[in-house]
Amino acid sequence: MQCVLIVDDKPENLYLLRVLLEGHGYAVEEARDGAEALTKARHTTPQLVISDLLMPVMDGYSLLREWKADARLKAIPFVVYTATYTHARDEQLALDLGADAFVIKPSEPDVFIAHIKEVLGKAAEGQLRPPHMPDASENVLLKEYSEVLVRKLEQKVEELDVVNRALNMRLAELEQLYTTAPVGLALVDREFRWLRINERLAAIDGPSVAEHLGRTPRELIPQLADVLEPIFRRVLATGQPQLDIEIHGVTPADPERERDWVASYYPFAGADGMVDGVGIVVEEVTERKRVEAELKEQRRRLAELSSLSSDWFWTQDREHRFVHVSHDSGKDFAGTAEVVGKARWELPIEVTPAQWAEHRALLEARQIFRNFEYSYLNSRGEICWNSVNGAPLFDAAGAFIGYHGTGRDITELKQNEAHLQLAAGVFTHSLEGIMITDVDGTIVEVNNAFSQITGYCREEALGQNPRFLQSDRHNHAFYAEFWQALKTRGFWSGELWNKRKNGEVYPELMRVSVVRDAEGVPRHYVALFSDITERRAHQDQLEHLAHFDPLTGLPNRLLLSDRLGQAIAQCQRSGTSLAVAYLDLDDTKEVNDNHGHYVGDALLVTVSHRIKDALREGDTLARIGGDEFVAILCGLERPADSYPVIERLLQVANEAVVVNHDGDTPGVNADECVQVTASIGVTFYPQDHVDADVLMRHADQAMYIAKQAGKNCYHLFDVLQDAAIRTRHADLLRIRTALDEGEFVLAYQPKVNMRSGEVTGAEALIRWQHPERGLLPPAAFLGVIEDHPISIEVGEWVIDTALSQMAAWKRSGLELTVSVNIGARQLLQDDFAERLGQQLAAHPELRPQNLQLEVLETSALEDINKASATIRACHMMGVSVALDDFGTGYSSLIYLKRLPAKVLKIDRSFVFNMIQDPDDLAIVRGVVELAEIFHREVIAEGVESRAHGDLLLTLGCDLAQGFGIARPMPAAELPQWIVKWQTSAEWTD
């Protein structure tokens, strides 16, 4: 690749030549003047040099002379590329000095590249001509070179003179503009001293132009210095202009008047390109601000007046198209955008053809129109109405230019008209009687229904006072309350007994309302009423059916509940007791099956009457369904006072009932005699201090116990037993919550070999971290869940939690056997071994041999065959089993033989007392010997002291646990305890 050295003092020329040459496959080197070009050429030896002529330091002619004088460089082609030296004598001088080509800028790229290729081609063929040196001496060449330079300088001087004259004219124009500018202009240096300022700005500040120069704003206008100086600093620091900054204040020229200016600040750069000062342009806008404020206030007032008006305003052009609508016209359609530019008949409004014709005629005649009404659908699909007024507009010459006018939303007015028409129709045709009076109570209007209900025609009623309709059913207090309600609430409603014209008294449902005027003053009373004679009779019938049993006529469950509530309240006031007796007739199903339902119903009616007669006055008997009755015995001084009454109820219920044949009932052919007994459950209030519903439920529970006892008897509800059941139920619910909320935790009590000092394992013991009661031991809650399904869930949680903790210990380097306690219900589950296997499979990193199950001896004996099979299944998985609290159960040798447990655990009660009690010592010794005989391991729990451990070692029991060794502790503390215990080894000596 051929290398070309380009020499030019202008970067843009270098860039363009580089792009052009590199685009044609040439490598390029650059130099900024002749001296730099010589240095680079002597190091890189290019194949061609292209040089400008007019350059600093060393121009192109001097470079050419040096180039051709250098033995190493003179053979390298030299091309002159110039825009300044374009005279023929300039070219001839370059050729005389040895240039191989002379190209004038600008040159077309293709032409320029052709020159380059031509020169390089001649150089390659050795056809470049040598420098043409004329016969004259070196002095002649220098003279020609000097003449070229002088001529070029003279040319430049002439050009500069022309430019200078133009600049002077421009400066004069700018000075004139600067002086007469309608805005303030100034220039400050970096110390904020005024360098230039025009008369306009000087007049604003006060001092003259001469007084400003060389001084700072703080010296001349200290009132504004704190505002200006930060702005100057920002411009000088950032080099960025600060535009349109509003300034408010006073000046020394007019200190009493506050003024407003808008100023912009521009960075002013010196010859070196550095920001040397700040140019300032200031325009006083005090008057403009005042005018703008006045205009704004006028607009605000106009908008306020417009908003207070219910009308909106519009203007149309000569084609009747809207050109302006006020803001409230947004009510019309979806907004003004849908109105402007359209004629009214182009809008989606509803008008009859006749209305349109009349309206168009007025418009064509250029006449005023009023109350032009039309309807339209708003954006919510609702029908709205407008009324429009308009007048024609004419210009100064009298030519028609359009219409303007007002509009008003009359939707509410139209709706009110419709409501009035509707109200008139309702008033006339209403099925309810309507009576209107003035404030003095004089009837001013009635409707047709009034006459139909009362019998009085309209003419007879008008002018009367409503008192002429009164009956004698209401006293003075009733009417006083009536008028008080109208006065305070504005209405009264309720039932009223009035009298018709024929003298008949009838009930009516009435509502009376006060009608007030706009100031809230009562003007009329309106009464609406309806005859409810038939409804009242039907209501009385329904009320009886709602509260009484249709077969026996006794109160039903609803009325019983009400009376029981009243009876409880009476007991609370009087301090007496009551009994609730829940009575169920025995074997009524057999009566219905054998004798038919007619006989069964007759039996119920007869027995219910007998039971009612057997009660005391004031007692209540109710039938609550089928053959079940409830009696309320009130006013008891003590519960025993009810026993004779209850005995009578059993007696009358057991009496035979003869059902007479009436000849019309199918299946009943002769008189029949039937007999039943009763079972009664009784509870007493306030001994059973619960509400009415629970009292009945308790009596019902007692009645079922009486039935289970053989029927024909009564049973008293046991309050204490029920409380215990409720307490256990609540405890079970709380334990369920504790299990769901993660309130249970495990503590671990170490097991050790006292003789060797080895820690052989730990027992996982459940605790309840109760949020209110603190940490609870197992005795506080395990007894509650015994024999309950939740005990299985708790047991499985213990196993899973213990296995997870064992896995965590193993990951930290501690492998430990852990025993967990298993209850009887959990152990005897059919799938216990299968579920245990699933729990172990969830922790494959553990060996099943590290898990031990502790089973209470009494639990295993509940079903010894099933327990034995489960234990063997556990052994097959590798899980060992220990009999816990051994010695507290039967401890039969046959049981010990049949239960394949590998470990016997001596109960703590024997171990704790064996030092003082010979019998307990004998039991401990016997268990140790049994374990040895049956090849079982034995461990003692309850080791509380050194003495207990010493005695057990003498008996041959090496394994132990208890408070004397370590209390149960959190899982996190056990590894550190093991380290400490191993270093102690208390019994190894």
Side-chain angles (χ1 to χ4, degrees), residues 855-857 883-889 905-908 941:
V855 180
L856 288 174
E857 177 188 359
L883 284 182
D884 196 12
D885 296 345
F886 189 78
T888 58
K905 196 167 187 180
I906 307 174
D907 185 64
R908 69 180 67 250
E941 58 180 349

Side-chain angles (χ1 to χ4, degrees), residues 209-519:
V209 172
E211 290 173 328
H212 274 83
L213 298 180
R215 304 178 69 182
T216 66
R218 187 165 295 280
E219 294 173 319
L220 296 177
I221 46 173
Q223 302 91 331
L224 299 178
D226 290 336
V227 176
L228 297 175
E229 289 178 357
I231 300 174
F232 292 165
R233 292 190 183 94
R234 284 199 297 274
V235 175
L236 292 170
T238 64
Q240 298 296 321
Q242 303 289 307
L243 304 177
D244 299 328
I245 295 177
E246 295 187 1
I247 302 175
H248 180 82
V250 299
T251 65
D254 191 1
E256 301 299 324
R257 179 187 173 200
E258 293 187 351
R259 305 161 78 178
D260 294 283
W261 300 272
V262 173
S264 295
Y265 303 86
Y266 301 89
F268 184 78
D272 58 357
M274 302 297 292
V275 178
D276 291 337
V278 179
I280 306 169
V281 180
V282 179
E283 179 183 5
E284 183 171 355
V285 294
T286 305
E287 183 62 20
R288 189 177 76 191
K289 287 275 188 179
R290 184 189 66 78
V291 173
E292 288 177 351
E294 289 181 357
L295 287 174
K296 184 177 181 181
E297 177 61 19
Q298 290 175 3
R299 292 191 187 99
R300 186 193 66 78
R301 292 175 182 175
L302 182 61
E304 184 176 337
L305 289 174
S306 178
S307 66
L308 294 175
S309 173
S310 60
D311 294 347
W312 47 275
F313 311 100
W314 55 269
T315 305
Q316 292 176 336
D317 60 17
R318 67 182 68 240
E319 304 298 330
H320 303 289
R321 300 187 184 279
F322 287 99
V323 295
H324 169 75
V325 288
S326 66
H327 65 279
D328 278 343
S329 64
K331 301 173 184 175
D332 197 2
F333 317 110
T336 60
E338 293 192 5
V339 179
V340 173
K342 296 180 181 179
R344 186 169 284 112
W345 47 83
E346 294 176 330
L347 300 176
I349 61 178
E350 292 292 332
V351 181
T352 65
Q355 286 178 301
W356 268 131
E358 180 182 353
H359 182 64
R360 295 292 289 268
L362 291 173
L363 295 179
E364 291 173 1
R366 311 289 191 257
Q367 294 184 0
I368 295 173
F369 64 86
R370 293 183 175 88
N371 301 324
F372 176 64
E373 297 181 358
Y374 58 86
S375 65
Y376 64 94
L377 292 178
N378 65 10
S379 58
R380 296 184 298 276
E382 301 166 337
I383 298 177
C384 299
W385 285 85
N386 278 345
S387 177
V388 181
N389 302 320
L393 287 171
F394 300 94
D395 61 15
F400 173 73
I401 59 174
Y403 264 87
H404 67 162
T406 62
R408 175 173 295 182
D409 186 346
I410 59 169
T411 304
E412 186 175 354
L413 179 62
K414 287 289 186 179
Q415 291 173 344
N416 290 338
E417 290 178 356
H419 291 163
L420 287 175
Q421 294 175 357
L422 178 62
V426 170
F427 183 84
T428 301
H429 302 291
S430 174
L431 296 179
E432 289 186 303
I434 301 176
M435 175 176 60
I436 304 175
T437 74
D438 59 19
V439 290
D440 298 323
T442 302
I443 299 175
V444 297
E445 190 60 84
V446 296
N447 69 345
N448 294 336
F450 172 93
S451 300
Q452 295 171 1
I453 294 173
T454 65
Y456 292 98
C457 67
R458 180 175 180 272
E459 289 72 17
E460 292 174 314
L462 296 184
Q464 294 272 16
N465 188 288
R467 284 192 296 270
F468 84 105
L469 298 172
Q470 288 181 3
S471 67
D472 297 330
R473 293 285 185 97
H474 306 293
N475 56 24
H476 176 75
F478 173 84
Y479 288 106
E481 182 181 348
F482 170 91
W483 285 107
Q484 181 64 24
L486 285 179
K487 181 179 179 181
T488 57
R489 294 185 296 168
F491 71 93
W492 177 90
S493 62
E495 290 189 7
L496 192 70
W497 289 85
N498 269 341
K499 185 170 59 175
R500 306 186 205 273
K501 184 176 180 180
N502 62 8
E504 178 188 353
V505 176
Y506 68 99
E508 62 184 19
L509 186 64
M510 177 177 286
R511 179 181 177 89
V512 182
S513 301
V514 180
V515 179
R516 305 178 187 273
D517 61 17
E519 285 72 33

Side-chain angles (χ1 to χ4, degrees), residues 92 95 174 379 507 509 742 751:
Q92 186 60 48
L95 294 175
L174 290 175
S379 58
L509 186 64
K751 301 177 182 179

Side-chain angles (χ1 to χ4, degrees), residues 390 412 788 794 823 862:
E412 186 175 354
H788 191 276
V794 173
E862 290 186 16

